[in-house]
Amino acid sequence: MFPALETELKPETLSDPYEDFMHHHLQYYGYFKGPTCLPSAGHAQIDAVGKDPLMLSSPLLRSRQLLYDELDEVNPRLREPRELFSFFSSRGPLQAPKWPIECEVIKENIHHIEWVPPEPEYFYQPTGDEKVPEIVGEEQGTVVYQLDSVPTEGAYFTSSRIGGKRGIIKELAVTLQGPEDNTLLFESRFESGNLQKAVRVGVYEYELTLRTDLYTDKHTQWFYFRVQNTRKEVTYRFTIVNLLKPKSLYAVGMKPLMYSQLDATTYNIGWRREGHEIKYYKNNMDDGQQPLYCLTWTIQFPHDQDTCFFAHFYPYTYTDLQCYLLSIANNPIQSQFCKLRALCRSLAGNTVYLLTITNPSRTPQEAAAKKAVVLSARVHPGESNGSWIMRGFLDFILSNSPDAQLLRDIFVFKVIPMLNPDGVIVGNYRCSLAGRDLNRHYKTVLKDSFPCIWYTKNMIKRLLEEREVLLYCDFHGHSRKNNIFLYGCNSNSRKHWLHERVFPLMLSKNAPDKFSFDSCNFKVQKCKEGTGRVVMWRMGVINSYTIESTFGGSTLGSKRDTHFTVEDLKSLGYHVCDTILDFCDPDQTKYTQCLQELKELLQQEIHKKFSNFGQDVDLEASWSDIPLSDIESSTSGSDSSLSDGLPAHLLNIANELNQKMLLKKTKKKRLQTRKQRDEQYQKNYLMRELKLAEDTQGRARFASTLQKQPTLLKAPEKSSSSVMRNEKPRLNETQLSGRDKGTSLEPPLISLVLPKNKETIQTQLSGRDKGTSLEPPLISLVLPKNKETIQTQLSGRDKGTSLEPPLISLVLPKNKETIQSKKPGFTASCSPKRSTNSGLGPAPDVKANWPRTRYPATRKDRSAVAAVYPSLHIYTYP
C-alpha cells in the first residue's frame, strides 16, 4: 500500500536522480528508513547516456515512476503517489503522539484488552439512602496527587514535542511509608488521562478534581485515571467534586467503568461496570462563579496490590487508532481497496488520517457514477463511543462480506476516524488545543487555528464537485440521554419533504433495541449553524446527520435497562452499512413504506400539539403546510456559546485591539430625529453668539489701533522667510462681516492664489450697501527679503453713486509681469456661510490670530461705520 516504504530495489537497476535526492531528503528528516541508492554508479551511467543515445532504451535507466507490462512496453499509467509522511512500518515503531510542551507524560505504555461481559450489565437502581458526602477540600484532607504542569489561566498552545515536557518526570504520588501504608497511588499522565488532584479525606475516602480542557476553564466530564496499592474486601469511596453539567446519566443508573490489571492478565477480563451508592448532586461549595456538581460512588477492589483504572467510558486512544490502521496497511487484501492518506496535521503536529474505501472501477465512467459517503468521529475527544461505532463500521466495510463488497462497488467512502487527535491525546472532553469546540467552527476561515475542520470541509467541497454525496454522518456521544439517536436538518424543499427522516427511521428498524427514532430531532437552531451537520447540509448534502450514542445504555427492547458494551457500539456500525443498502435499494418498497409511515407519525404529532393547546385542526386539508420546526422542540445538545469564539491564542490579541479602540475618541452619536437636530442647532447657535458678544469689545479696540498704525501688519523678516521656504503655495481666504440694525454688510471674499512663478495678481472687487459710503484705507504689507509692496485699495460710494470696484495689486519678487483680473461687484449679504469650495481656506499649520466676528452699526450713525473698519485677514505664502 505504501510504495515509499518498499525497499526492494533490484541491484541491476539504477535509481532515478529525483528518487536518489528524495531518499536522502526523507532519511535526513527521519521519514524514510530504507537504503539509499549508490550515487556514484548512477552518475556514471548518466554521463554515459550523453555519449551514447542508444542507452536511453536500456532497462537500467527506465524510470520506476511508470508501469511496464509483461511485454516490457511502457503503460501510460503512473504508480501510486508516494506518501509525504511515513505512516507505518512493519519493522519500526508507530508514530509517537506529540504533546504540548507544558504536559508531563510518563514513559509507561498503557494498554487494555477488549472484552465483552458474558452477562448484561444492568443500571444501578437508586435506593434513596445513598450517602451525600460533604466536600471538605484539602484544608481538612491530605493531597496525595496533584498536577503542577497544567497551563495557567490565559495561556495558550505554543508548541509540542514527543513526550511532552522536557526534563525528569516528577513523582506526584505520595511516598509509601511501608507495606502497611494503604494510601492509594494515583496517576493520569498518560494518553487520554484526566485527573488533576486527589485529596485523601478519610482512611478509604478520596475527593477527586478533574482537569478542565487545556487552555480553558470549562468542560469537566471525561475522567480516566489509574490507582495502585489497592486492598481487597475494603469499601473505598471516590467523589468527583467539579463536574459542570446539572444533569447526568449517573443520576438515572449509569455506573463508572473499572479495569483490573490482574483480572486482565489472569482471567482475560477487561473493562466492566462497577460501583454502588452512586449519587449525582450539587456541590455545596459555592465559588461565586458557575455551580459545580459532584459524583460519588463506592467500590471494592478484587485484589490486593492491584493496578486498576477508572474511566467515564471505554477509552479509545490515538495509539489505539494507529495500531488498527497499521493492521489494515499490513493486510494485503484490505490495502487494495482502502487507501490511507494524511488529511492534514493538527496544531500539535499529529496526523489526521483520511481513509478512501472503494473497489477499483473497471472504467472511468463507472468510477464517476459512484456516489460518496462521508463519515467522521471524535471531533469531541471525550466522546470515545464515536470511535467504537467507527471501528464497527470499518470492520464490516473492509470485510469480505457480500454486502460489504456491494457497498464498495457502488460507493466511495471517505472516512476520518479521529478529527481531534490532540484533544484525545491530552484527555480533553470537548475542545482542541485552540481551546475551542471544533464542532462549532465548520464555517471558519482560520485554517491555521482549526486545520482539522478546515481541511475536512475543503475535502468535502471538492468531493461535491466530483460526485454526489449521499450521506454525511458525524459520530458523537451524549451524556444526558440513553439509547442511540441522531440530529438531522429539515428540508425546505417540497420535493424532498420528509426525505431526510427516512434514513433514521430505517436505522431504527434495523437496530430496534439500540436506536430510538423518537429521540431524533431535525430542527436547525441558530446556535448550531457552525456544526458539521448544518454546514454540510447547507453545502448540498440532504442526508446530513450527527449520530449521538449514549454513555449509558438502552431503554429499548431486549436490552432495556442495560449498559452498552463495545460490541453493542460496533454493531451499530454494521447497522449503518445495512441501512445504506436499504436506503439505496433499487426496489423502493421500503423507502415508500417509510415515507408513508413518516406522514402518519407527523399527523399524530400535529394532532397532539394542537390538542395540548385545546384547538381542533383539520388534518385532511393543508396539514403538510405546517412548518416542521414549529412542531419539534429544540435539541438537548450542549450550549455552543461555551466554546464559541476566537481560538485561545488570538484572544489576547483581540483584547489588546479592543483596549486600543476604547482609547480612541468615539464618534459623536448621530441625532435620529428632526427635533433633536433642531435643539442641537439652537444650542450651538446660542453658544456661538455668547462667545461673539464677549469678544466684541476687544475687536473694536483692535480695529481703532489698526487705523492709527497701518504699518502694524509688517511681518518680521526672519520668521516670514522660514514660512516662505517651508510652506507650499495654496489658496487663501479672507472673510469680513459686519451687521447693523437695519443694515446688512457682507464682506467681499478675497482669495489670493500665489503660484510658484513670481507674477503679480491684481484683483478688483466691489461691494455696495444702500446709503452707506466706505472709503478704503491703504494697507501696506512688506514681504521678507524683498522691497516690493502689496497695495490693497478698496473703494465704495454712498447712496446714489455708482460703485467702482477696488483694485488689489500684489507685486511679487523677481517678476515683472502682471496679471489683472476683475470681478464684478456683488451685493452684500448677511449669510455667515463660507464658500463651499474645498480649495479655499488657510493652510492647516497657519491659523489666524483673530477670530471672525460681527460688528454693530446703526442706520443713524453711519459715520461710525466709516470710521471703524473690520479686521482684514491676509495670509501670505511663497
Side-chain angles (χ1 to χ4, degrees), residues 49-75:
V49 171
K51 300 176 182 179
D52 187 5
L54 296 178
M55 291 190 66
L56 288 173
S57 59
S58 172
L60 299 179
L61 294 177
R62 292 191 311 184
S63 172
R64 289 187 289 114
Q65 302 296 324
L66 296 175
L67 298 179
Y68 295 83
D69 57 19
E70 296 179 356
L71 299 178
D72 208 27
E73 295 180 357
V74 175
N75 190 329

Side-chain angles (χ1 to χ4, degrees), residues 9 135 151 181 203 233 248 278 293 546 587 656 714 719 763:
L9 300 176
I135 308 304
D181 191 345
V203 179
E233 298 179 356
S248 174
I278 302 173
Y293 297 85
T546 296
D587 183 5
E656 291 177 1
K714 186 178 294 185
S719 60
T763 307

Side-chain angles (χ1 to χ4, degrees), residues 819-876:
I819 300 176
Q820 296 182 345
S821 61
K822 288 188 178 182
K823 186 173 183 179
F826 54 92
T827 305
S829 171
C830 63
S831 173
K833 294 183 180 180
R834 282 187 169 186
S835 171
T836 58
N837 189 349
S838 61
L840 301 178
D845 295 338
V846 182
K847 298 184 179 179
N849 294 326
W850 320 301
R852 293 177 299 153
T853 184
R854 299 184 177 92
Y855 297 91
T858 61
R859 290 181 178 270
K860 298 179 180 180
D861 191 7
R862 290 173 183 170
S863 61
V865 177
V868 180
Y869 296 96
S871 59
L872 177 63
H873 303 255
I874 297 180
Y875 305 103
T876 61

Side-chain angles (χ1 to χ4, degrees), residues 365-380:
Q365 294 76 13
E366 180 182 343
K370 290 183 176 181
K371 296 182 180 180
V373 175
V374 180
L375 303 173
S376 61
R378 295 304 283 278
V379 68
H380 293 154

Side-chain angles (χ1 to χ4, degrees), residues 552-783:
S554 174
T555 60
L556 307 170
S558 60
K559 290 189 172 295
R560 184 180 181 87
D561 296 336
T562 61
H563 290 90
F564 279 153
T565 64
V566 292
E567 200 62 33
D568 292 327
L569 299 178
K570 290 164 69 175
S571 69
L572 185 74
Y574 156 73
H575 290 307
V576 169
C577 295
D578 193 26
T579 305
I580 293 175
L581 284 176
D582 292 338
F583 189 76
C584 299
D585 194 341
D587 183 5
Q588 292 290 294
T589 303
K590 291 182 180 179
Y591 195 96
T592 306
Q593 290 178 353
C594 287
L595 268 180
Q596 184 61 34
E597 184 177 346
L598 285 170
K599 292 179 181 179
E600 294 175 359
L601 290 173
L602 188 59
Q603 284 181 334
Q604 297 174 8
E605 187 67 22
I606 294 174
H607 181 76
K608 181 180 177 181
K609 288 284 184 181
F610 278 93
S611 298
N612 293 337
F613 290 104
Q615 299 178 4
D616 234 358
V617 62
D618 183 15
L619 297 181
E620 299 298 331
S622 58
W623 65 274
S624 60
D625 294 334
I626 301 176
L628 299 181
S629 58
D630 294 343
I631 302 171
E632 293 181 312
S633 59
S634 61
T635 64
S636 57
S638 300
D639 185 5
S640 62
S641 63
L642 294 177
S643 303
D644 206 355
L646 289 173
H649 70 282
L650 295 181
L651 284 179
N652 292 340
I653 301 176
N655 292 334
E656 291 177 1
L657 291 177
N658 290 335
Q659 292 177 1
K660 291 181 180 179
M661 292 298 294
L662 291 176
L663 294 177
K664 291 184 177 180
K665 185 178 181 180
T666 58
K667 293 184 178 179
K668 188 180 295 183
K669 187 177 179 181
R670 185 177 180 180
L671 301 178
Q672 299 297 323
T673 65
R674 182 180 295 274
K675 181 179 179 181
Q676 290 175 328
R677 293 196 297 268
D678 291 343
E679 291 176 353
Q680 187 66 35
Y681 179 81
Q682 290 288 346
K683 181 180 179 180
N684 295 340
Y685 177 77
L686 293 175
M687 293 296 294
R688 189 166 55 249
E689 289 294 330
L690 179 61
K691 184 177 181 181
L692 294 175
E694 293 175 353
D695 295 341
T696 301
Q697 297 178 354
R699 294 185 177 278
R701 288 194 300 269
F702 172 77
S704 61
T705 306
L706 179 63
Q707 183 180 11
K708 295 177 181 179
Q709 299 178 1
T711 59
L712 187 63
L713 295 176
K714 186 178 294 185
E717 182 177 348
K718 184 177 180 179
S719 60
S720 297
S721 62
S722 62
V723 173
M724 293 177 63
R725 286 194 304 268
N726 297 332
E727 294 295 333
K728 296 181 180 180
R730 54 176 78 202
L731 213 55
N732 294 334
E733 142 180 302
T734 304
Q735 196 170 21
L736 306 173
S737 62
R739 176 177 295 177
D740 184 35
K741 182 177 180 180
T743 304
S744 174
L745 289 178
E746 180 64 24
L749 181 64
I750 304 174
S751 298
L752 306 180
V753 181
L754 303 178
K756 292 181 180 179
N757 56 11
K758 306 306 174 66
E759 300 174 350
T760 301
I761 302 175
Q762 294 181 344
T763 307
Q764 289 183 336
L765 301 175
S766 62
R768 175 181 297 177
D769 183 44
K770 184 177 180 181
T772 303
S773 175
L774 295 176
E775 289 297 329
L778 181 62
I779 302 175
S780 298
L781 301 179
V782 181
L783 298 178

Side-chain angles (χ1 to χ4, degrees), residues 71-90:
L71 299 178
D72 208 27
E73 295 180 357
V74 175
N75 190 329
R77 289 190 297 115
L78 293 175
R79 292 183 182 271
E80 283 288 326
R82 295 189 169 186
E83 306 299 339
L84 295 180
F85 310 105
S86 178
F87 292 135
F88 308 111
S89 174
S90 58

